[in-house]
Amino acid sequence: MNKKAHTPTLLLFVATIILILLALFTFASFNDTFAEDSEGRSQILGNIIFYQDYMIKKAEGIVKKIALFEGPLTADGKKEMFKEIARKENPNIAELNEFFSKIENNDFVFKLENQEYFFEMKNISLQSSNGANSINRTFSFSITFDVNGNRLHPK
């Protein structure tokens, strides 16, 4: 009988056994943390979206209060009233500090033109992290309102 022909067959058999054992070891050592890691990233993204929406809604609410104010105000008076309302309504949350400090430092546009209020804020940075994961987002927004403080044109 030719014994040289059995050597490749034997090597093929041994290699198959090694690959099967390697696959079984991989399955046994898998710790299934993908769902937990994904949940952390979802929480980070959820925080960013929440704080961005909060800033936009807070600006809308302040403009509505100014629009409904009965007394006469100059353009500078309206901007100062915007700052005062924002100062009172600041919840002192770290992620919102840049938004409220931009308002405090007059780093925003708020004006009344052609019977429409216009609010704009540029380059607001948000950061959220969970464990080793972190997301930084910079965004700008502008909103146009009618004289009653109702939102007209989101941008």
Side-chain angles (χ1 to χ4, degrees), residues 116-130:
E116 292 180 345
Y117 286 103
F118 177 76
F119 177 84
E120 180 179 47
M121 187 174 282
K122 294 182 178 180
N123 300 324
I124 305 165
S125 294
L126 278 174
Q127 179 178 358
S128 183
S129 59
N130 186 348

Side-chain angles (χ1 to χ4, degrees), residues 75-106:
D76 289 337
K78 289 177 194 241
K79 197 165 185 176
E80 284 302 315
M81 187 176 185
F82 193 101
K83 286 173 56 176
E84 184 61 34
I85 293 170
R87 198 175 298 125
K88 289 179 184 175
E89 295 184 2
N90 184 351
N92 292 319
I93 297 173
E95 289 82 0
L96 300 173
N97 283 345
E98 184 172 356
F99 173 71
F100 286 101
S101 67
K102 282 183 172 282
I103 292 172
E104 193 63 36
N105 296 326
N106 284 324

Side-chain angles (χ1 to χ4, degrees), residues 6-140:
H6 293 296
T7 304
T9 306
L10 183 62
L11 286 176
L12 185 61
F13 177 73
V14 171
T16 304
I17 296 296
I18 291 172
L19 287 175
I20 290 171
L21 290 174
L22 182 64
L24 289 174
F25 176 75
T26 304
F27 289 146
S29 64
F30 184 68
N31 61 7
D32 196 24
T33 60
F34 286 126
E36 294 170 12
D37 293 343
S38 176
E39 184 177 312
R41 287 186 289 276
S42 294
Q43 182 182 6
I44 294 170
L45 288 172
N47 287 344
I48 294 286
I49 292 167
F50 172 79
Y51 289 122
Q52 181 176 338
D53 289 346
Y54 180 88
M55 291 176 199
I56 293 169
K57 292 295 183 189
K58 180 56 70 179
E60 287 178 9
I62 294 172
V63 171
K64 183 84 166 175
K65 289 177 182 177
I66 293 170
L68 296 176
F69 181 72
E70 295 292 326
L73 285 174
T74 64
D76 289 337
K78 289 177 194 241
K79 197 165 185 176
E80 284 302 315
M81 187 176 185
F82 193 101
K83 286 173 56 176
E84 184 61 34
I85 293 170
R87 198 175 298 125
K88 289 179 184 175
E89 295 184 2
N90 184 351
N92 292 319
I93 297 173
E95 289 82 0
L96 300 173
N97 283 345
E98 184 172 356
F99 173 71
F100 286 101
S101 67
K102 282 183 172 282
I103 292 172
E104 193 63 36
N105 296 326
N106 284 324
D107 193 9
F108 67 101
V109 175
F110 180 63
K111 58 187 174 183
L112 176 66
E113 285 183 347
N114 302 324
Q115 299 297 310
E116 292 180 345
Y117 286 103
F118 177 76
F119 177 84
E120 180 179 47
M121 187 174 282
K122 294 182 178 180
N123 300 324
I124 305 165
S125 294
L126 278 174
Q127 179 178 358
S128 183
S129 59
N130 186 348
N133 297 315
S134 178
I135 293 178
N136 295 315
R137 181 175 188 180
T138 302
F139 69 100
S140 303

